[in-house]
Amino acid sequence: MNILLLGSGGREHALAWKLAQSSLLEGGGILFAAPGNPGIAGHARLVALDARDHGAVLRLCEEQRIGLVVIGPEAPLVDGLADSLRGAGIAVFGPGAAAAQLEGSKGFTKDLCARAGIPTAAYRRAGSLAEARAALDFFTLPVVVKADGLAAGKGVTIAHSREEAEDALAALFAGQFGDAEAVIEEFLEGEEASLFCLTDGATILPFGSAQDHKRVGEGDAGPNTGGMGAYSPAPVLTGTLEAEAIRRIIAPTVRAMADAGTPYSGVLYAGLMLTRSGPSLIEYNARFGDPECQVLMMRLESDLGEVLLACAENRLGTIEPARFAPASALTVVIAAKGYPGTPETGGPITGIEAAEATGARVFQAGTARAADGRLVAAGGRVLNVTARGASVAEAQARAYAGVDRIGFADGFCRRDIGWREVAREQAG
């Protein structure tokens, strides 16, 4: 079978690495990737293709006899690419546009939670700056201000003062995130964790947990980013808490989407806050997290292609539970200076082979080949140095051993990824 993977980031490099090992490709099957990146080129045949051009994607699928399309990023999902592919009879991993609103609109998700009794923070929606300022009166500080639409993981502000909240709202309604409306939420106390489940609209297949580090600076300081590192599993999300989250959050969501006539098919990534009263939903994503996908793929022992195809063909209930290695995996993002603002691009990158010689794996994200063939930075988050270990501390040490072999003068990384869990391990 031929497979097409859409995307160009570190998440897609991790997916390509794992898909390249799938039995679906036996007998001459080809893994295509569009547009891919230099790292993905080591596992797949790259195709110059814009996922926004649904007709071009469909033509490629027909010409190359694609048996499964895996959509990596969120924008094509919200844009309805999965609908176009399903309409043409092509198996696709990823939700249609209506179901992808779980990520595409935070207000949509909050309203669904309210109807279905799913635990989440109290909220107000606002379509104008004046309405949003008035809504602040219903909350105590700190308060959470969110852009309603897609914001690449950067559309959230935890405001500790009224002035900070109003500044965030002013920037939001000035077009910082396009034409997004605002969702204002109660601030929840607790520790965050990410839970992943695959679903075909009926069956729910747990698919691992992780914790990421959103803030740009060490000690979780500074502005939010798309993610500066992650580790898996998240021990704080115990088996009991995971089961509770599936029962009270994931399952009611899947039922509600099916009842609405828009069944959800793909990966459902729940950002959770573990409060004193149990797991509460922060938000949903309609795709694998980045960089959480990298650590999940490092631990996954099941055939990724077979699992994703079963999901796409609505037969998750016929396959075995996903198998993950008991080891921990940790990834460190190396970003270009200036990120999460305007990154410095074009800086040369060396040392990837040396990093991987330590046992780590380097997933490329914002990279490109210069005219002279050198690998250079071409985005904000550039590399993901990922390693496994018997504990988070061991995985951390191995990942940073790989980081230290990378030559990238224009890059930086946090040196404390996994710090909470490492402290817990050392304490006890």
Side-chain angles (χ1 to χ4, degrees):
M1 174 184 290
N2 292 343
I3 301 173
L4 171 61
L5 171 65
L6 297 174
S8 61
R11 166 183 50 227
E12 287 76 33
H13 189 178
L15 290 171
W17 171 70
K18 204 66 184 178
L19 284 170
Q21 304 167 35
S22 175
S23 61
L24 295 182
L25 298 175
E26 292 176 358
I30 300 171
L31 175 61
F32 294 88
N37 66 36
I40 294 172
H43 311 288
R45 183 181 299 179
L46 301 192
V47 181
L49 185 69
D50 186 345
R52 294 172 294 184
D53 187 340
H54 294 196
V57 176
L58 291 170
R59 285 192 295 274
L60 176 68
C61 289
E62 181 180 0
E63 292 167 1
Q64 299 298 339
R65 299 181 180 180
I66 300 296
L68 172 65
V69 178
V70 178
I71 302 176
E74 60 273 23
L77 296 169
V78 173
D79 187 45
L81 179 58
D83 297 309
S84 296
L85 290 163
R86 288 194 179 95
I90 299 167
V92 55
F93 179 79
Q101 283 301 295
L102 284 173
E103 175 166 6
S105 171
K106 294 177 176 64
F108 172 90
T109 299
K110 298 295 285 191
D111 290 348
L112 181 146
C113 289
R115 292 192 303 271
I118 294 169
T120 190
Y123 73 104
R124 293 261 175 161
R125 299 180 68 171
S128 69
L129 180 56
E131 187 180 356
R133 284 174 171 161
L136 290 175
D137 294 336
F138 293 90
F139 298 89
T140 58
L141 294 171
V143 65
V144 182
V145 174
K146 295 182 177 180
D148 185 50
L150 299 178
K154 304 172 192 174
V156 178
T157 298
I158 300 174
H160 293 271
S161 68
R162 176 83 182 210
E163 181 182 14
E164 188 180 1
E166 293 200 358
D167 287 346
L169 289 168
L172 191 159
F173 283 104
Q176 182 178 3
F177 303 105
D179 296 328
E181 296 184 349
V183 175
I184 301 167
E185 293 184 8
E186 163 196 23
F187 178 77
L188 295 178
E189 293 279 358
E191 190 166 345
E192 292 187 37
S194 302
L195 174 63
F196 298 84
C197 291
L198 305 188
T199 179
D200 54 13
T203 299
I204 296 170
L205 184 74
F207 208 72
S209 66
Q211 279 191 303
D212 72 339
H213 297 65
K214 287 289 188 187
R215 301 284 185 169
V216 71
E218 294 180 13
D220 294 326
N224 273 333
T225 71
M228 295 300 294
Y231 61 92
S232 176
V236 69
L237 187 63
T238 64
T240 299
L241 288 175
E242 179 176 316
E244 182 181 354
I246 292 173
R247 177 176 57 83
R248 299 184 63 202
I249 298 174
I250 302 292
T253 300
V254 172
R255 284 196 301 271
M257 296 303 291
D259 290 346
T262 55
Y264 190 99
S265 176
V267 59
L268 196 53
Y269 157 20
L272 304 174
M273 183 67 76
L274 305 181
T275 72
R276 290 182 178 179
S277 58
S280 184
L281 180 69
I282 301 172
E283 63 183 15
Y284 275 128
N285 292 300
R287 37 68 191 183
F288 284 111
D290 188 347
E292 294 95 335
C293 184
Q294 290 83 315
V295 288
L296 289 176
M297 293 305 108
M298 284 291 284
R299 297 182 53 237
L300 182 65
E301 294 181 335
S302 297
D303 184 318
L304 179 64
E306 292 281 5
V307 174
L308 301 191
L309 183 62
C311 186
E313 293 181 341
N314 301 317
R315 52 180 180 84
L316 271 182
T318 69
I319 67 171
E320 296 294 321
R323 300 187 313 277
F324 288 88
S328 294
L330 184 143
T331 190
V332 178
V333 171
I334 303 180
K337 291 177 180 176
Y339 181 78
T342 303
E344 299 178 12
T345 59
I349 301 165
T350 61
I352 288 180
E353 289 185 0
E356 293 195 330
T358 69
R361 182 159 296 278
V362 181
F363 295 117
Q364 297 184 36
T367 63
R369 288 288 177 190
D372 60 5
R374 292 183 304 162
L375 187 69
V376 298
R381 293 184 296 168
V382 180
L383 303 172
N384 308 111
V385 183
T386 314
R388 284 180 20 171
S391 63
V392 174
E394 185 173 90
Q396 182 194 62
R398 291 177 176 177
Y400 281 112
V403 167
D404 292 338
R405 300 291 184 93
I406 299 289
F408 180 28
D410 293 338
F412 74 97
C413 70
R414 285 181 55 168
R415 303 294 303 194
D416 65 344
I417 301 302
W419 65 272
R420 285 190 186 87
E421 195 56 40
V422 170
R424 282 192 282 257
E425 289 176 350
Q426 291 173 345

